[in-house]
Amino acid sequence: MYITYENKACITAQQFIELFSLSAYRNALNRGYFVKHGTRGNGRDAVIEVESMRRADWKAKIIAEMGPLEKAEQKQLANQIIVNDEIRANFKAYRYFLGDKETSLPENVQAQYCNESAFFDMMKRTWDTMVKARQSKGKKPKMKDFIQTAYDTAHSESVKKEFPHDLPKNVKYFENKYKKYIDGADGWETLISGKYGNRNTEKINDEAKFWLVATWANPVERTTGEKHLLNLYNGKAKDEGWKPLKSPQTLHNFLYEPEIEKLWYGHRHGELKAKEIFTLFNTTKMPLLRDALWYSDGTKLNYFYLNEKGEIKTTSVYEVMDVSSEFMLGYHISDSENFEAQYKAYRMALQTAGHKPYEIAYDNQGGHKKLENGNFLNKLSHLAINTKPYNGKSKTIESAFGRFQQEFLKRDWFFTGQNIQAKKEESKANMEFILANKMNLPSLEEIKKAYEKRRNEWNNAQHPKSGLSRKETYYSTTNDKAPTLQIYDMVNLFWITRKDEVTYTADGLKFSEAKTEYRY
């Protein structure tokens, strides 16, 4: 029987030893073949996450003996669903208008909403417990994994049979509904369908609806809230002959209908926030072998430096990373994400790897157009996929780089802080100290050396899953689909052919490129 630890299906170390052997356990532990919790007595008090097993034959034998993994996690969550009297009372007391008559929710609908509310309450309790347990160990659980497990549980046959519900059948919509539920003061009301949401008899005509959306979405002349919008609406209603409204709740019910909210949300809160809530995302299954997938991206290098004029400046860095190991392969520091930066970063990555990647992913900005036009990216890898710019979820390198900033770059006093959306004080620069010590800021060459040092520390630090360093994780695997780099590959990729011919004269070969004169 599985043991559930922090919502993960586990077996005890003793069970592992009985299935295999004590020497196999010790060998696997030394090589980082699984994630383990607990340490005493040759590991006999420890538990091992089955999903973390790096050997497929071990995992297969465990599943054959113990049963499917999913059922263990789902059963743990399902056993904690409780429909209590408070939940029932909320939906029983709810009233809405059917025509001019106030009425209560149908009993079968009340039962459905009670089940959905109980399920979301269970999720919040479980998540809070997981966070507290992990914080005591300096770790943070992954909300994405938790949501997926909860979604699978909600749509398992046993849960749907015992607790009938109508929760979204798309995992992203499921997550959005859960977040709205826990964010609301009366979160249970967010479960109620719009057809039961008309808690008053006030009506809004079609012309007025267009005006309301446009006014609420206006990012220049912003309305401060629903009461402000109500005053504006009733003033407009006099001019247009619309029926005035009495309650801001009418406006709230209309604006927060799912199809209406999408129309204004990005204008009030920003396009990136709207993307997070309303965009459907594909999940990328991360590769297990080196050089299966490389991500590349340009970003601000989070260091201040002092230029020759005594001005405080920052610069940029373009990084190429192997996804399976998070090993940083190649980089180039320059003021912009241009062709030269990308070209040199990829060249360093290939020299470090000694192999061409099977697939690369990059955004479609800056010098990438020039790389594409020169067919460089297609010659570099079997697949070259461009992702959406300004969309961190489409490139895991942005998540990894965020951890690199937090864990390594932040150690230097001239750290600029993370991006402008960072909310934690710990993620921001100490500008008071930096300005007080302006003349002690490093030069551009010095921050390049500092960055190289921190980058090497990242590569030699422990990989979050393998237990080995990122460098060891990278070099410990091989990939038959990533061809070995040959000398003619470097010529083919990195020798640049001039568009214009050069004529040989009595003075030899002479030409200018990028304002630099060359003579041979």
Side-chain angles (χ1 to χ4, degrees):
M1 181 178 178
Y2 292 112
I3 293 172
T4 303
Y5 181 88
E6 295 181 354
N7 209 35
K8 299 288 186 181
C10 301
I11 62 171
T12 65
Q14 186 58 42
Q15 286 172 318
F16 182 93
I17 292 167
E18 290 172 359
L19 280 172
F20 303 101
S21 67
L22 180 58
S23 62
Y25 172 80
R26 288 173 174 168
N27 183 54
L29 192 61
N30 290 334
R31 292 174 177 267
Y33 280 177
F34 49 62
V35 174
K36 175 184 73 68
H37 305 279
T39 56
R40 300 194 303 267
N42 279 330
R44 287 181 173 80
D45 291 333
V47 293
I48 299 163
E49 291 183 16
V50 180
E51 193 58 55
S52 71
M53 291 281 178
R54 291 177 63 190
R55 281 189 51 170
D57 56 333
W58 285 358
K59 188 188 293 185
K61 185 173 180 180
I62 292 169
I63 292 173
E65 291 283 335
M66 313 285 286
L69 292 177
E70 296 78 14
K71 291 184 178 178
E73 296 172 337
Q74 292 173 15
K75 188 174 181 180
Q76 178 76 6
L77 291 181
N79 288 339
Q80 299 176 59
I81 302 173
I82 302 171
V83 183
N84 57 41
D85 292 338
E86 182 182 352
I87 293 174
R88 293 191 180 95
N90 286 335
F91 292 107
K92 188 173 183 179
Y94 184 87
R95 296 292 184 271
Y96 72 102
F97 281 92
L98 187 61
D100 294 329
K101 183 181 178 183
E102 189 178 66
T103 185
S104 58
L105 294 169
E107 288 189 8
N108 65 319
V109 175
Q110 289 184 40
Q112 172 196 317
Y113 290 153
C114 284
N115 293 337
E116 293 172 0
S117 182
F119 192 87
F120 283 159
D121 286 343
M122 175 276 296
M123 285 178 63
K124 187 175 188 309
R125 289 195 307 272
T126 304
W127 176 252
D128 290 344
T129 302
M130 289 171 61
V131 169
K132 287 179 182 177
R134 286 292 183 105
Q135 282 178 342
S136 65
K137 299 177 182 179
K139 298 179 180 178
K140 186 177 180 181
K142 292 183 179 179
M143 172 62 85
K144 179 182 175 182
D145 294 342
F146 174 69
I147 291 291
Q148 184 64 56
T149 301
Y151 171 83
D152 293 338
T153 303
H155 293 284
S156 63
E157 290 186 12
S158 59
V159 168
K160 287 194 293 185
K161 184 176 180 180
E162 187 174 355
F163 301 97
H165 63 77
D166 191 31
L167 293 173
K169 295 180 175 61
N170 175 283
V171 68
K172 186 63 182 178
Y173 289 158
F174 176 87
E175 180 180 3
N176 291 343
K177 193 158 191 171
Y178 169 67
K179 288 181 176 178
K180 282 187 179 181
Y181 179 87
I182 62 174
D183 287 344
D186 292 317
W188 58 273
E189 287 197 49
T190 64
L191 300 174
I192 298 173
S193 168
K195 63 183 178 182
Y196 303 118
N198 184 16
R199 303 188 76 170
N200 53 65
T201 57
E202 297 183 296
K203 303 294 181 185
I204 305 172
N205 65 44
D206 290 340
E207 184 182 359
K209 288 178 180 178
F210 281 112
W211 181 89
L212 279 170
V213 172
T215 304
W216 189 245
N218 191 333
V220 179
E221 296 183 17
R222 288 175 58 85
T223 49
T224 57
E226 289 161 9
K227 289 184 179 179
H228 181 201
L229 182 62
L230 179 65
N231 291 333
L232 294 175
Y233 176 88
N234 284 336
K236 183 74 172 176
K238 290 180 181 179
D239 299 332
E240 301 294 334
W242 303 336
K243 183 180 178 181
L245 301 176
K246 298 178 181 178
S247 171
Q249 184 65 40
T250 303
L251 299 178
H252 179 89
N253 291 343
F254 166 68
L255 291 170
Y256 284 87
E257 289 178 7
E259 293 305 316
I260 301 300
E261 187 178 11
K262 294 178 184 178
L263 301 177
W264 57 260
Y265 196 93
H267 296 281
R268 280 191 73 86
H269 304 300
E271 184 182 352
L272 294 180
K273 286 287 185 183
K275 278 183 179 179
E276 288 181 9
I277 294 177
F278 299 111
T279 302
L280 297 179
F281 295 98
N282 293 320
T283 299
T284 302
K285 187 175 182 180
M286 293 295 104
L288 301 176
L289 300 176
R290 58 172 279 186
D291 305 324
L293 174 62
W294 290 0
Y295 272 132
S296 65
D297 196 22
T299 186
K300 184 178 80 170
L301 198 165
N302 301 82
Y303 284 152
F304 287 119
Y305 73 91
L306 206 64
N307 70 6
E308 295 174 351
K309 298 179 181 179
E311 300 169 327
I312 298 177
K313 293 289 185 179
T314 61
T315 187
S316 299
V317 62
Y318 192 86
E319 276 284 359
V320 180
M321 176 185 287
D322 174 69
V323 172
S324 69
S325 60
E326 295 186 343
F327 184 51
M328 291 182 175
L329 295 162
Y331 74 106
H332 183 73
I333 295 173
S334 61
D335 287 339
S336 60
E337 183 184 339
N338 56 19
F339 167 77
E340 181 184 9
Q342 296 153 4
Y343 188 81
K344 290 185 176 180
Y346 278 120
R347 184 172 65 185
M348 180 179 176
L350 284 170
Q351 290 171 331
T352 302
H355 290 263
K356 294 168 67 175
Y358 182 81
E359 179 182 346
I360 58 172
Y362 59 95
D363 65 34
N364 209 18
Q365 290 183 281
H368 288 118
K369 293 288 186 183
K370 192 169 181 180
L371 294 179
E372 286 178 338
N373 293 339
N375 206 31
F376 173 84
L377 298 171
N378 288 325
K379 290 190 290 186
L380 175 66
S381 62
H382 179 71
L383 296 172
I385 309 297
N386 62 63
T387 58
K388 288 183 179 180
Y390 311 114
N391 184 19
K393 291 186 177 181
S394 66
K395 299 189 295 297
T396 56
I397 188 174
E398 294 198 15
S399 168
F401 206 85
R403 285 181 281 123
F404 176 48
Q405 292 169 338
Q406 289 178 327
E407 297 169 22
F408 294 91
L409 298 186
K410 195 169 76 171
R411 297 176 186 177
D412 293 303
W413 68 271
F414 40 86
F415 178 63
T416 66
Q418 292 183 255
N419 61 45
I420 59 173
Q421 294 180 337
K423 296 180 180 179
K424 295 181 180 178
E425 289 300 320
E426 281 292 322
S427 300
K428 299 177 182 179
N430 184 350
M431 291 308 300
E432 181 181 350
F433 183 81
I434 289 169
L435 292 174
N437 292 275
K438 175 181 174 181
M439 300 314 297
N440 295 321
L441 282 169
S443 66
L444 178 59
E445 289 304 313
E446 286 171 333
I447 68 164
K448 287 181 178 181
K449 291 178 181 178
Y451 182 79
E452 182 181 11
K453 176 187 174 184
R454 297 304 183 196
R455 194 174 175 276
N456 289 334
E457 289 173 350
W458 165 272
N459 281 340
N460 287 294
Q462 187 180 47
H463 186 272
K465 291 186 178 179
S466 71
L468 305 172
S469 72
R470 292 180 174 89
K471 184 176 182 179
E472 290 171 325
T473 302
Y474 178 75
Y475 286 113
S476 65
T477 64
T478 57
N479 190 341
D480 294 337
K481 293 188 177 181
T484 302
L485 195 67
Q486 305 293 340
I487 185 63
Y488 58 80
D489 291 319
M490 296 298 286
V491 171
N492 189 32
L493 285 166
F494 295 105
W495 284 24
I496 300 174
T497 303
R498 281 174 49 82
K499 182 179 179 182
D500 300 323
E501 294 180 352
V502 179
T503 302
Y504 185 84
T505 67
D507 293 330
L509 291 172
K510 185 172 67 173
F511 64 93
S512 294
E513 186 68 32
K515 298 181 181 180
T516 301
E517 185 174 288
Y518 297 89
R519 186 189 295 268
Y520 298 93

